Amino acid sequence: MKCVYCFQPVHPKTDWRNAFLPGRPSRLCEECMNGFEVITEGCPRCCNPRYSETCPDCRQDSALLSNTSLLFYNDFAKEWMARFKYRGDYELIASMSVFLPYFVRGKAVPVPLSDVRLEERGFNQAEAITELLMKRPRPYLKRSHSEKQAKKSKQERERGANPFLPVQQVRGNLLLIDDIYTTGTTMKQAAAVLKENGADSVRGLTLFHS
Ligand SMILES: [Zn+2]
Ligand SMILES: [Zn+2]
């Protein structure tokens, strides 16, 4: 077996993770695996690894109850992400499943891409992560493509900068899924629309926290 990232041979027997996660054999070599930094401590609300108390981005109230991020978006993760976006390689995203929790609560809502972006990229990385979590992606949101203000309809201007639109009424506790959490603006905007449309609660899960 070869590492899906660097193509060096992987020796599954010597990888301790395989002993604990038999259903999810690591497809990354040890060196690549060690390139990722698992977040063990951070802001209690958004997992920002630079803080141990509530970070400045989380001090204001928002529709997003909390966010869990699994890995620090370090230089290795940035390179990995650039390659993943370029190749759109399912093997590459599947290699991340060793870092994902076995079980997550709530209906999974992948953060959507705009139609234009989806056309360009050919896949939605948030949806790929949702599938790795063995969850059914719920298409509760649409995302409008950011264009010049003049091109926006009156309704869009009134909505301000929020690019998300509801697709249907929703119910229950939702889990918003995305690849990277930066300041949380995207997740908070998406959460606000879901709450307005009937969600009981919205939490977030992202692979990386920058
Ligand atoms: Zn490797
Ligand atoms: Zn925070």
Side-chain angles (χ1 to χ4, degrees):
M1 191 165 71
K2 281 186 177 162
C3 172
V4 292
Y5 188 74
C6 73
F7 308 111
Q8 296 292 316
V10 183
H11 307 290
K13 276 185 200 141
T14 59
D15 190 334
W16 60 269
R17 287 171 188 89
N18 292 330
F20 295 105
L21 302 166
R24 289 180 176 177
S26 157
R27 287 184 265 183
L28 290 170
C29 70
E30 205 163 337
E31 211 174 306
C32 290
M33 191 80 92
N34 292 337
F36 291 107
E37 288 173 63
V38 175
I39 297 174
T40 52
E41 240 190 325
C43 163
R45 197 159 174 203
C46 78
C47 281
N48 187 334
R50 291 184 186 80
Y51 295 85
S52 54
E53 290 173 5
T54 306
C55 79
D57 290 327
C58 286
R59 281 180 202 147
Q60 280 180 335
D61 244 9
S62 97
L64 186 71
L65 214 53
S66 64
N67 169 69
T68 302
S69 296
L70 306 165
L71 303 167
F72 181 45
Y73 198 46
N74 60 11
D75 289 342
F76 185 80
K78 282 177 197 164
E79 277 172 40
W80 182 93
M81 198 63 190
R83 198 189 300 181
F84 170 59
K85 283 189 173 170
Y86 176 71
R87 283 187 5 199
D89 188 334
Y90 187 78
E91 286 270 290
L92 216 47
I93 187 77
S95 69
M96 289 293 101
S97 61
V98 285
F99 298 114
L100 297 176
Y102 261 104
F103 177 76
V104 288
R105 278 173 203 285
K107 297 175 184 172
V109 184
V111 170
L113 295 176
S114 70
D115 290 347
V116 177
R117 186 74 66 238
L118 188 60
E119 180 103 339
E120 280 170 6
R121 192 170 294 160
F123 67 98
N124 176 354
Q125 65 277 13
E127 215 165 289
I129 296 166
T130 305
E131 281 161 15
L132 288 182
L133 289 163
M134 309 290 227
K135 299 287 270 189
R136 181 154 66 93
R138 315 270 179 155
Y140 292 161
L141 291 174
K142 277 194 309 191
R143 187 181 199 148
S144 61
H145 192 61
S146 55
E147 286 176 87
K148 289 201 179 77
Q149 196 69 10
K151 281 188 181 171
K152 285 188 178 172
S153 69
K154 185 164 177 284
Q155 196 199 3
E156 281 175 319
R157 281 198 303 273
E158 280 169 357
R159 287 172 42 80
N162 195 327
F164 297 102
L165 296 161
V167 172
Q168 60 186 91
Q169 277 290 116
V170 298
R171 282 176 60 198
N173 300 310
L174 310 184
L175 185 69
L176 257 179
I177 294 168
D178 209 357
D179 50 359
I180 306 165
Y181 189 104
T182 307
T183 60
T185 304
T186 303
M187 298 283 267
K188 287 170 192 168
Q189 287 174 327
V193 173
L194 291 167
K195 282 283 278 186
E196 280 162 25
N197 284 277
D200 293 325
S201 73
V202 186
R203 292 178 190 273
L205 178 76
T206 67
L207 196 48
F208 300 112
H209 199 305
S210 70

